[in-house]
Amino acid sequence: MQLDFHYYATYCAAFLAGYTHEESLEICYSAQMVDCCSRSFLSRIKGPRAAATTQEKLELVDAKADILSLQEMTRIWASFHFLPRDLYAETGKWTAKSYRNKYRLICGPNGELVSDTVELAKNDGSLQAVGIAMHILADTWAHQFFAGTPSLVINNTNPVFFELIPDPAAETFSPLQEKKDQNPPAKTFSPLQEKKDQNPPAETLSPLREKKDQNPPAETFSPSQEKKDQDKEKAAEHIIFFNEEGTATHIHLPDGRHCTLLPIKFIHNPGQEDDPEHQIYINTFYQVRENSPMNLGHGRAGHLPDYSYARYRYMPAWGNYAEIVKDNPSDYYHAFCQMIYAMKYLRGSCDTFERKKYDTEAVAPWEPGIRQILEKRQTDASADWKAFAQELSGREIEDFDQEAYTREYTFAPEETRDDTFLGKFILAAMEQKSMVTNKIFKSGNMLAGFSIDFRQKGFKGIKDFMKLVEKDDRRKA
């Protein structure tokens, strides 16, 4: 995702969750700051470089493929942008451990780490932690099927990569739901309908599933179906139409949608911009080396996953070339509704946070407009989201300014620096990175490196993280 969703859409979600205008601004600023807080930025403001939440292009270009550099990349990208869905996902019987570890870092929504991230923000209590958590939660929807570690096998694209263009004449393609068709409030927070319905909204809104087993996105990563789901009927397969030359031209999705399939062309030309009208997208340079930084995340697919309008079909190697259909308008809508639900929990409006729950009731009055923004073919939806945000609150929404709080942090005395806006952001970011790294390490996966318990090991490891121990001591004092 980009600034349009992480900043403006996050403001809208925060405001709908009950936060004030001022609080919503702090939350969305923190959410967008995750894409800006690099080691270079932290060095400039004299902050701890271990708190980096992203890497700039020049940093990645200069990055090496040695073990320590790869672990640093994984700590950053898996913690903040490609949160793993299942650290214990099963692979084939004869799968190499090196591949299995990467497979288990594939990003996806509604994993245990999403709950851990929200609970961590709850315990932190700062608005900065809320913003960081919302960035991470939203990215689990946009970046699913990619991993936050360099891997050609996991993250590469292939020639069988098509964009799905909805048929405008088909009624099923209308993103505007009629009021009479909206879900009743009793089912607002649960996308899973009762067994008698056999048609969960998660599948209705998102046609993502592997062809071989038709699992919904939440189950894509695990070949073994849980016992409680075994009695459910499988949804009808999508149907692909081919021309006389054997080329796929159209696809009929299980929810009734009919789309034209247009081949996507990925090229590496940093001086050129994406051209959605001709299905041309700029990606990273092809590197045959498995662990090249060019094979990190969705770099090989360019910014396509970051565009809310995008629907695409491809066959990744990690899924044994089984077909995946990605529906961003649906996924981004799920992300927006889940953010509202999560922030209501963080505000104390509900007692528990549960995965696979979405506050569609709060969104219902605004759903047509939101769907329209998500469906609009544009590479930057900031203007539309900003207009919606100002309509919601009746207040002016300031444009994002990365330097807004740097002076406060830089010139603050050392003993009060952690109490500044960026000081709180840095501590929350370090807590998140520490938590995810620890979870990966405890799963037996060394791709993010060792996880050190300072209370037991003393000053071994990255000393910057001693700040977390000091923060915990202040809480208990």
Side-chain angles (χ1 to χ4, degrees), residues 163-165 173 238-241 248-254 257-261 313 323 325:
E163 184 173 3
L164 281 62
I165 307 298
F173 285 112
H238 51 257
I239 302 172
I240 300 176
F241 299 89
T249 58
H250 295 81
I251 184 171
H252 187 78
L253 301 176
R257 298 169 183 259
H258 192 74
C259 301
T260 299
L261 292 172
R313 164 186 175 261
E323 181 182 75
V325 177

Side-chain angles (χ1 to χ4, degrees), residues 214-235:
Q214 298 299 311
N215 286 338
E219 300 175 1
T220 301
F221 298 94
S222 178
S224 56
Q225 204 176 25
E226 295 183 8
K227 187 175 181 180
K228 64 180 180 180
D229 296 325
Q230 289 178 349
D231 294 332
K232 292 185 178 180
E233 296 179 0
K234 292 183 179 180

Side-chain angles (χ1 to χ4, degrees), residues 28-314:
C28 72
Y29 185 94
S30 300
Q32 176 56 26
M33 195 63 197
V34 173
D35 279 341
C36 304
C37 188
S38 64
R39 289 171 67 94
S40 299
F41 172 78
L42 289 165
S43 295
R44 180 162 57 84
I45 67 171
K46 298 179 175 60
R49 292 190 296 174
T53 59
T54 190
Q55 290 177 293
E56 298 177 3
K57 290 182 180 179
L58 289 178
E59 292 176 347
L60 287 173
V61 169
D62 292 338
K64 299 178 181 178
D66 61 277
I67 293 177
L68 293 180
S69 297
L70 293 174
Q71 289 175 342
E72 172 66 8
M73 283 184 221
T74 304
R75 283 194 292 272
I76 292 174
W77 294 94
S79 296
F80 299 102
H81 308 278
F82 298 86
L83 195 69
R85 182 183 178 273
D86 186 357
L87 292 176
Y88 299 90
E90 294 297 330
T91 56
K93 183 177 180 181
W94 306 110
T95 302
K97 183 178 180 180
S98 59
Y99 168 74
R100 183 188 65 200
N101 286 342
K102 293 181 179 182
Y103 178 85
R104 289 176 171 177
L105 294 188
I106 293 177
C107 177
N110 291 315
E112 288 186 8
L113 283 175
V114 170
S115 297
D116 295 335
T117 295
V118 173
E119 293 297 340
L120 190 66
K122 180 80 168 179
N123 293 334
D124 182 283
S126 70
L127 295 176
Q128 289 81 354
V130 175
I132 292 172
M134 292 307 101
H135 181 113
I136 296 165
L137 184 153
D139 272 355
T140 61
W141 290 93
H143 298 166
Q144 58 183 313
F145 308 131
F146 296 97
T149 193
S151 173
L152 181 65
V153 173
I154 300 293
N155 297 322
N156 194 27
T157 58
N158 56 50
V160 188
F161 211 115
F162 293 87
E163 184 173 3
L164 281 62
I165 307 298
D167 181 358
E171 183 179 351
T172 52
F173 285 112
S174 174
L176 311 180
Q177 270 191 334
E178 295 292 338
K179 195 170 184 179
K180 63 181 180 180
D181 295 328
Q182 292 178 354
N183 291 334
K187 298 182 180 180
T188 297
F189 288 97
S190 177
L192 305 178
Q193 285 183 337
E194 295 180 3
K195 187 175 179 181
K196 63 180 181 180
D197 295 327
Q198 296 297 322
N199 187 20
E203 295 186 10
T204 302
L205 290 169
S206 178
L208 311 179
R209 54 180 58 84
E210 295 186 18
K211 189 173 182 180
K212 63 179 180 180
D213 57 14
Q214 298 299 311
N215 286 338
E219 300 175 1
T220 301
F221 298 94
S222 178
S224 56
Q225 204 176 25
E226 295 183 8
K227 187 175 181 180
K228 64 180 180 180
D229 296 325
Q230 289 178 349
D231 294 332
K232 292 185 178 180
E233 296 179 0
K234 292 183 179 180
E237 292 188 4
H238 51 257
I239 302 172
I240 300 176
F241 299 89
F242 298 83
N243 60 18
E244 294 180 356
E245 288 75 29
T247 303
T249 58
H250 295 81
I251 184 171
H252 187 78
L253 301 176
D255 61 0
R257 298 169 183 259
H258 192 74
C259 301
T260 299
L261 292 172
L262 297 178
I264 292 175
K265 183 178 182 181
F266 292 110
I267 61 175
H268 178 67
N269 186 351
Q272 184 176 335
E273 295 182 354
D274 289 341
D275 183 2
E277 297 310 310
H278 297 92
Q279 286 69 50
I280 298 175
Y281 296 93
I282 312 303
N283 68 347
T284 55
F285 185 72
Y286 177 74
Q287 287 282 351
V288 70
R289 290 179 299 148
E290 164 68 8
N291 294 327
S292 168
M294 296 297 102
N295 299 324
L296 172 66
H298 59 71
R300 294 293 299 145
H303 282 294
L304 181 64
D306 291 327
Y307 300 145
S308 65
Y309 67 81
R311 293 183 177 92
Y312 51 92
R313 164 186 175 261
Y314 75 117

Side-chain angles (χ1 to χ4, degrees), residues 348-359:
S349 299
C350 51
D351 295 331
T352 60
F353 173 79
E354 298 179 30
R355 287 170 280 162
K356 302 181 182 180
K357 286 193 175 183
Y358 315 91
D359 193 346

